[in-house]
Amino acid sequence: MKSPSDKTLLGLDIQELSHLVEQAEEPSYRSRQLFEGLYSRRTESVEQISTLPQEFRQWIAEQGFVFGLPEIAQKFISSDGTVRYLMRLQDSETIETVWMPEGDEGEAGDGSEAGAEVLKQTGREWKRATICVSSQAGCAVNCQFCLTALLGVKRNLSAGEIVGQVIAVLKDQDVTPPLERVNLVFMGMGEPFLNYENFIKAVRLLVEGVGIPEARMTVSTAGIVPRIEDLGNEKVRPKLAISLTAGNNELRSRLMPINRKWDLNKLITAAQEFPLRNREKITFEYVLLRGVNDSDRHAREVAELVRGVKAKINLIALNPGPGIDYKTPEEKRVKDFQEILIRAGVPTFVRRPRGRDIYAACGQLKRTLEATA
Ligand code: SAH
């Protein structure tokens, strides 16, 4: 796996920056200035960090250091206001990041009046927004219903490349601090827990540098059990979501081969033991596949499975794509499935697909160059 140049500044924490400052024989407070310059979103080159003396900026450039912000190579805009960004990294590898704005009640183009209002407001006006970031180029997990799986895994993203996606989108959307209306989900391309060190470093930089509170972040895993345990031990961490998609081992192993390594027994135990904060819940995502995992019996099985966990469930009707053999269930089936879970006492929500028309929805990120419908 190729990694980005070790002369990249974005991704360095305060401690690493202080080594650099020492090397340059600059006073130690320069590391804080450098840190703020890198993560405050107001700059995209060292030259622009105006708090630093000109000589120091020059020294940094002479040493061959680069800022390292991903470049927005292409942008696709959905009728519902969602924007899919194709980002180019320093080694020309490409990844995707998604921007999802929402109005008060609805989202642009969802058919509601509130949604229509968002659309009218030229896509610049939004009440809340979620950024969906990638953690790897491609993915190694091979879930049978996901388009990213078809790419295989190209490489891990560095902490700087993960943070850089957020900064690039915030810049492009003209978002200025405070960032209290922005949520972040680690649900783009890749399995964050197979790139754990870089992912968790990125979380810290996003909290300390970019200013997004940890409570506004969620990480989703296909079920890498040892890393669920690690996350529970972190001082600073996002909320946890687990992609479930089946309530029994036979079916789950077929749909998500990772289940052969860490089965439902191990997964649910890890979820039960996960130290939750006050009022926090674990989210289980369940992708509904027509005729495969969407019957009443399946719903009851899931309710039974998560009984001992402080959980909520997000149902996602399959987003279709080329090379995926599964089908999307009817709306009525989704509603009935939800109803059974709710009756069983499990808070259950149906996730509206965002940006399906531009291949930006869950499981559709595959670096599509043209917006094919
Ligand atoms: N690899 C991590 C992070 C990605 S999150 C994980 O799997 O959790 C992406 C979410 O989209 C996952 O919950 C996944 O189950 C879901 N998903 C994958 N393919 C999908 C598809 N075709 N339609 C709808 N959801 C899908």
Side-chain angles (χ1 to χ4, degrees):
M1 283 195 207
K2 267 190 286 174
S3 56
S5 117
D6 56 4
K7 292 280 186 182
T8 303
L9 293 172
L10 207 65
L12 300 184
D13 58 25
I14 268 279
Q15 226 183 342
E16 290 161 329
L17 291 172
S18 70
H19 292 318
L20 203 119
V21 167
E22 256 168 53
Q23 255 182 296
E25 294 175 1
E26 286 284 333
S28 60
Y29 62 84
R30 296 272 180 241
S31 28
R32 174 56 58 183
Q33 291 175 324
L34 194 47
F35 186 77
E36 278 164 11
L38 284 172
Y39 299 106
S40 70
R41 306 162 302 279
R42 279 182 291 273
T43 52
E44 50 196 275
S45 68
V46 177
E47 190 47 44
Q48 289 172 357
I49 309 180
S50 54
T51 48
L52 299 176
Q54 191 52 45
E55 292 155 49
F56 184 33
R57 284 182 254 174
Q58 217 165 342
W59 180 88
I60 294 173
E62 278 162 12
Q63 301 295 307
F65 285 104
V66 292
F67 196 97
L69 198 66
E71 178 203 336
I72 296 173
Q74 259 183 301
K75 221 169 123 173
F76 307 90
I77 303 174
S78 164
S79 58
D80 69 14
T82 300
V83 181
R84 177 167 63 88
Y85 290 92
L86 186 76
M87 305 255 186
R88 188 178 297 118
L89 307 174
Q90 286 174 75
D91 63 351
S92 291
E93 191 59 76
T94 52
I95 50 162
E96 294 183 339
T97 312
V98 183
W99 165 260
M100 293 171 279
E102 283 175 63
D104 236 353
E105 313 280 336
E107 59 206 29
D110 69 355
S112 72
E113 246 173 69
E117 200 47 41
V118 183
L119 258 191
K120 255 194 269 167
Q121 295 161 347
T122 67
R124 283 273 173 216
E125 293 296 322
W126 43 275
K127 299 277 193 270
R128 270 173 299 122
T130 303
I131 301 175
C132 179
V133 303
S134 294
S135 54
Q136 299 180 305
C139 189
V141 176
N142 204 22
C143 301
Q144 297 299 296
F145 44 89
C146 181
L147 284 170
T148 308
L150 301 176
L151 296 171
V153 68
K154 306 280 193 250
R155 68 168 172 85
N156 280 337
L157 300 188
S158 67
E161 289 167 335
I162 298 173
V163 177
Q165 294 169 60
V166 178
I167 298 178
V169 170
L170 290 174
K171 270 177 176 303
D172 190 64
Q173 294 291 337
D174 268 337
V175 187
T176 47
L179 301 179
E180 62 214 353
R181 298 185 300 154
V182 175
N183 294 307
L184 239 172
V185 294
F186 297 89
M187 299 189 186
M189 304 173 103
E191 168 50 50
F193 285 3
L194 291 179
N195 184 19
Y196 188 84
E197 287 310 318
N198 293 342
F199 146 75
I200 201 73
K201 186 179 186 193
V203 167
R204 293 187 196 122
L205 294 171
L206 285 161
V207 172
E208 290 161 24
V210 182
I212 301 178
E214 56 184 327
R216 296 205 149 272
M217 301 180 187
T218 305
V219 62
S220 178
T221 179
I224 314 297
V225 168
R227 298 293 89 74
I228 293 177
E229 293 161 8
D230 289 345
L231 188 76
N233 291 324
E234 299 288 350
K235 271 209 212 59
V236 176
R237 64 155 177 86
K239 292 185 284 183
L240 174 65
I242 297 174
S243 299
L244 189 63
T245 299
N248 68 73
N249 279 319
E250 186 272 317
L251 185 57
R252 194 165 190 271
S253 292
R254 190 146 56 83
L255 299 173
M256 301 177 66
I258 193 83
N259 192 68
R260 293 178 199 146
K261 189 147 184 189
W262 294 287
D263 66 10
L264 282 172
N265 190 14
K266 292 185 180 133
L267 188 61
I268 297 299
T269 304
Q272 277 166 339
E273 290 172 354
F274 190 79
L276 292 168
R277 300 185 189 117
N278 207 12
R279 298 174 62 186
E280 189 183 355
K281 285 193 175 94
I282 293 180
T283 301
F284 286 100
E285 296 129 302
Y286 193 98
V287 183
L288 286 161
L289 313 168
R290 193 205 291 177
V292 175
N293 68 351
D294 65 345
S295 72
D296 291 358
R297 182 179 61 78
H298 290 116
R300 286 192 291 269
E301 197 172 60
V302 171
E304 187 58 35
L305 186 72
V306 303
R307 215 146 56 125
V309 188
K310 265 180 80 181
K312 68 168 189 158
I313 295 186
N314 276 346
L315 299 175
I316 316 171
L318 177 82
N319 295 309
I324 300 298
D325 289 335
Y326 297 101
K327 298 206 160 47
T328 310
E330 304 289 331
E331 216 167 297
K332 170 86 165 57
R333 184 84 294 271
V334 178
K335 281 268 159 248
D336 290 350
F337 197 95
Q338 177 188 26
E339 197 55 40
I340 292 173
L341 283 161
I342 290 175
R343 289 232 176 103
V346 190
T348 304
F349 305 86
V350 179
R351 286 267 300 266
R352 286 169 298 181
R354 299 296 313 266
R356 253 191 199 167
D357 55 345
I358 55 159
Y359 273 87
C362 303
Q364 292 190 312
L365 301 184
K366 62 169 186 78
R367 306 189 293 192
T368 318
L369 277 173
E370 289 133 316
T372 39

